[in-house]
Amino acid sequence: MVYGIIIHSSECAEKFYFSSYYSMENNDEDDCIRQRTIVARVIDEINYYEDGKAKSDNTNKSQREKYLDLLGSFLSKNVNNEVKIDNEGFFRIVDSSLFKNKINILWKVLNKICYTLVLYAHENIHLADYFLHTFINVMREHHDMEKRKNSKNDVDLFNPDTVLAVLYFFLPKGQLMLIDDNHAKILSTRVQQFLGGKVKLPPKNS
């Protein structure tokens, strides 16, 4: 089960669009501190990448929060060319004062919007990478469909109903799934049918 997902600005740590958490750990008085800590660190990483990896030798790494550059080594190259990610990265946070367990942070930036997936260290990074890329693609597909349907240019990209519906089908109860492109298309159709009122959710005990 992943820890949670945050959608926020890639430039401003105070600008949020959506967040959802699956861990009960985040339901306490420190939940806002955890989210601010994650987002601030992601923006630091984004700036680090933009400044260039050539400066990495001069970057001080904390012993408690060590940067893990796994891009190109562990993340598979996504063959889905529908979304051209502007920037992406991966790192780990180890801070026992805020998190009971080590957590990994996977982030992708598109059009100055950062999609940040927070997951436990034991989760499969390949599944996480594919999910996040697919999630971004599906969100933009549904946004474009709504714009065409309503003939409006100001359709909210992160309508909570749409985001929660996509998460319900693509990340059920926070569980990463092994899916291929064909399965992703089927799930995307189910999301659209659900939002259109053509599909009802099964009972909770089913």
Side-chain angles (χ1 to χ4, degrees):
M1 183 179 73
V2 305
Y3 189 95
I5 185 169
I6 312 169
I7 305 174
H8 56 93
S9 168
S10 65
E11 300 176 324
C12 177
E14 302 301 322
K15 191 172 183 179
F16 294 91
Y17 300 102
F18 179 89
S19 65
S20 181
Y21 295 93
Y22 299 93
S23 171
M24 294 302 295
E25 176 184 346
N26 209 63
N27 294 326
D28 60 23
E29 63 274 10
D30 292 329
D31 56 351
C32 291
I33 298 176
R34 291 191 188 96
Q35 179 163 292
R36 287 198 298 268
T37 299
I38 292 169
V39 172
R41 179 63 192 277
V42 169
I43 292 180
D44 284 345
E45 295 292 323
I46 292 172
N47 293 333
Y48 164 75
Y49 270 89
E50 290 178 349
D51 289 341
K53 285 190 174 183
K55 299 179 181 179
S56 62
D57 291 339
N58 298 323
T59 302
N60 293 324
K61 302 293 191 302
S62 168
Q63 293 299 319
R64 297 180 62 196
E65 192 173 353
K66 187 177 180 181
Y67 177 80
L68 299 178
D69 182 10
L70 300 183
L71 292 180
S73 299
F74 292 96
L75 296 186
S76 59
K77 298 298 181 181
N78 202 303
V79 297
N80 190 334
N81 294 320
E82 294 182 44
V83 173
K84 298 293 185 181
I85 299 299
D86 299 327
N87 205 346
E88 59 184 349
F90 179 86
F91 62 91
R92 174 172 294 173
I93 292 180
V94 181
D95 186 344
S96 58
S97 67
L98 289 177
F99 304 97
K100 294 179 181 179
N101 301 291
K102 299 176 183 178
I103 61 168
N104 292 337
I105 310 294
L106 175 66
W107 56 269
K108 295 179 184 289
V109 175
L110 180 65
N111 297 332
K112 297 183 179 180
I113 298 174
C114 188
Y115 301 79
T116 299
L117 186 66
V118 186
L119 55 151
Y120 292 107
H122 67 270
E123 291 287 353
N124 188 304
I125 187 61
H126 296 284
L127 294 183
D129 180 56
Y130 186 84
F131 159 76
L132 194 55
H133 191 99
T134 303
F135 174 78
I136 296 171
N137 187 49
V138 171
M139 286 299 303
R140 299 198 67 82
E141 282 182 350
H142 285 278
H143 178 254
D144 292 342
M145 282 190 288
E146 286 300 314
K147 285 175 61 177
R148 290 193 297 269
K149 184 189 303 182
N150 299 317
S151 300
K152 296 180 180 179
N153 292 322
D154 59 347
V155 177
D156 185 4
L157 176 59
F158 304 113
N159 181 297
D161 290 340
T162 302
V163 181
L164 289 172
V166 173
L167 291 175
Y168 178 86
F169 286 98
F170 283 87
L171 192 68
K173 298 181 180 180
Q175 298 292 336
L176 293 168
M177 299 189 299
L178 180 61
I179 59 176
D180 56 20
D181 289 343
N182 290 331
H183 190 193
K185 291 178 181 178
I186 293 173
L187 292 177
S188 183
T189 299
R190 290 180 181 174
V191 171
Q192 191 63 26
Q193 291 173 339
F194 170 72
L195 292 172
K198 297 179 181 179
V199 173
K200 294 183 179 180
L201 298 180
K204 291 184 179 180
N205 58 357
S206 64

